[in-house]
Amino acid sequence: MTIRFSVVVPCYNEASYISDAITSLRNQDFPGPYEIVVVDNNCTDDTAQIARDLGVRVVTEPSPGVCNARQAGTAASTGEIVVSADADTTYAKDWLSKIDRSFQESGDVVAVVGPCRYHDGPRWGRVFARTLFGAVHAVYRATGRTCYVSATNIAFRRDRWTGYDTTLTQGGDELDLLRRMRREGRVIYDHSNPTYTSGRRFNRGFFYNVFVCLVVYYLSAYLLNRVTGRRVIGSAPVFRESRLQW
C-alpha cells in the first residue's frame, strides 16, 4: 500500500504538548493512508514514550538541532509527500485534505504551505503572526511567489527533496527548504489552511524575540551559516516551561 503523506514531528522535551499534536493529526479526515513520524532529538522527558503509547512511529536522532531531526524523520519516512509539522502545534481536521487538494491542482506543484497562528501567549505575538502571514498572502496573490513559510506547515514531494542542510539551525529547516523547492517547481501558499501553535516563546518579551531570536539566531544565523557552510552561529537557547505558566 502506498502511503500518501508522512507527517514528521521533531521533538525536544515536548511532553506537555505532543499528545495534543498527535491527537489532532490522528483525527484528520483525509481518507487515504498517512503516517506520523515523531523524532526523539535527545528528549530527557516522557515525549517519546507518550508518542509510542499513542501508536505513532518514533525514530531517534542523537545529533542536536531541528535540521538534524527533520532530516532523520524525513529519511525514515515512506510517504509520497512529506509534511513538516511541530510538536507544540495542533491541526484542523481538514488540514491534510486541503493540502492534498492543492497538490492535485497541477503536476508542477512541488510544495504546499500555509500560515501559522498562535493560540496563546501575548497579544502582540498573535498580531505579529497575522501581520506577517497577511503580507505573505498579499505577495503571493500579487506575484504567485511564496516568499516565506513556517516549518510547522509545509508539505513537499519526496522525489523533489534533496535533503536538509544540517549545518543550519532554526530557520534553516524552513527557509532553505523553501528556497530549494522553488527551484524545483510551483509552491502553493494556502492562506485558508493555518496551523495553531503555542506562543510560549513570545513570553520572553518583544525585544528578545525580535532582536535576539529573529535578527541574531534566525536571519543572521541562516545567512552566515549558509554562506560559510558551517555553524558559525548556533541555535537560540532552548525555551521550555511548564504549560500552566503560559
Side-chain angles (χ1 to χ4, degrees):
M1 178 177 63
T2 301
I3 295 178
R4 177 62 167 168
F5 291 109
S6 291
V7 185
V8 176
V9 187
C11 296
Y12 175 70
N13 290 353
E14 296 285 10
S16 295
Y17 285 88
I18 189 63
S19 178
D20 287 349
I22 291 174
T23 298
S24 69
L25 290 170
R26 293 188 67 181
N27 288 338
Q28 295 293 301
D29 64 8
F30 177 68
Y34 66 96
E35 66 175 351
I36 303 167
V37 180
V38 166
V39 184
D40 176 0
N41 196 207
N42 299 310
C43 294
T44 58
D45 64 4
D46 295 331
T47 300
Q49 190 57 52
I50 292 171
R52 291 189 184 96
D53 290 345
L54 289 171
V56 304
R57 185 179 174 197
V58 177
V59 299
T60 301
E61 174 49 60
S63 298
V66 69
C67 290
N68 289 316
R70 292 198 198 279
Q71 173 72 27
T74 303
S77 66
T78 59
E80 298 175 324
I81 296 170
V82 180
V83 190
S84 172
D86 275 331
D88 62 351
T89 303
T90 56
Y91 301 84
K93 191 172 184 178
D94 60 351
W95 182 61
L96 280 181
S97 293
K98 285 185 174 181
I99 291 174
D100 189 55
R101 285 196 293 271
S102 292
F103 272 108
Q104 292 182 25
E105 282 189 17
S106 172
D108 65 348
V109 177
V110 298
V112 175
V113 306
C116 167
R117 294 178 185 167
Y118 294 99
H119 60 78
D120 60 9
R123 185 173 182 272
W124 72 264
R126 298 193 295 273
V127 172
F128 171 80
R130 286 186 175 271
T131 302
L132 171 63
F133 286 104
V136 172
H137 186 214
V139 171
Y140 182 76
R141 291 185 63 184
T143 68
R145 181 178 176 84
T146 301
C147 60
Y148 177 74
V149 64
S150 167
T152 194
N153 196 359
I154 176 169
F156 55 94
R157 294 192 185 276
R158 175 182 300 281
D159 60 5
R160 301 302 181 90
W161 178 67
T162 56
Y164 285 97
D165 184 346
T166 57
T167 65
L168 301 174
T169 56
Q170 68 262 42
D173 54 335
E174 53 199 43
L175 297 180
D176 198 59
L177 179 61
L178 174 61
R179 178 180 67 86
R180 296 182 187 212
M181 285 295 120
R182 284 195 305 230
R183 289 179 175 178
E184 295 292 325
R186 183 181 170 203
V187 177
I188 290 179
Y189 174 79
D190 184 357
H191 195 63
S192 71
N193 198 24
T195 60
Y196 301 91
T197 299
S198 169
R200 54 184 168 169
R201 294 168 184 82
F202 291 135
N203 286 336
R204 285 194 169 183
F206 179 84
F207 178 85
Y208 181 86
N209 278 276
V210 173
F211 294 100
V212 177
C213 285
L214 178 60
V215 175
V216 176
Y217 286 109
Y218 191 92
L219 297 176
S220 297
Y222 171 69
L223 292 172
L224 189 58
N225 294 353
R226 181 184 155 200
V227 169
T228 61
R230 61 191 182 91
R231 289 191 180 185
V232 177
I233 300 177
S235 298
V238 175
F239 181 52
R240 296 290 185 273
E241 294 179 3
S242 167
R243 186 167 186 167
L244 296 178
Q245 293 177 288
W246 298 330

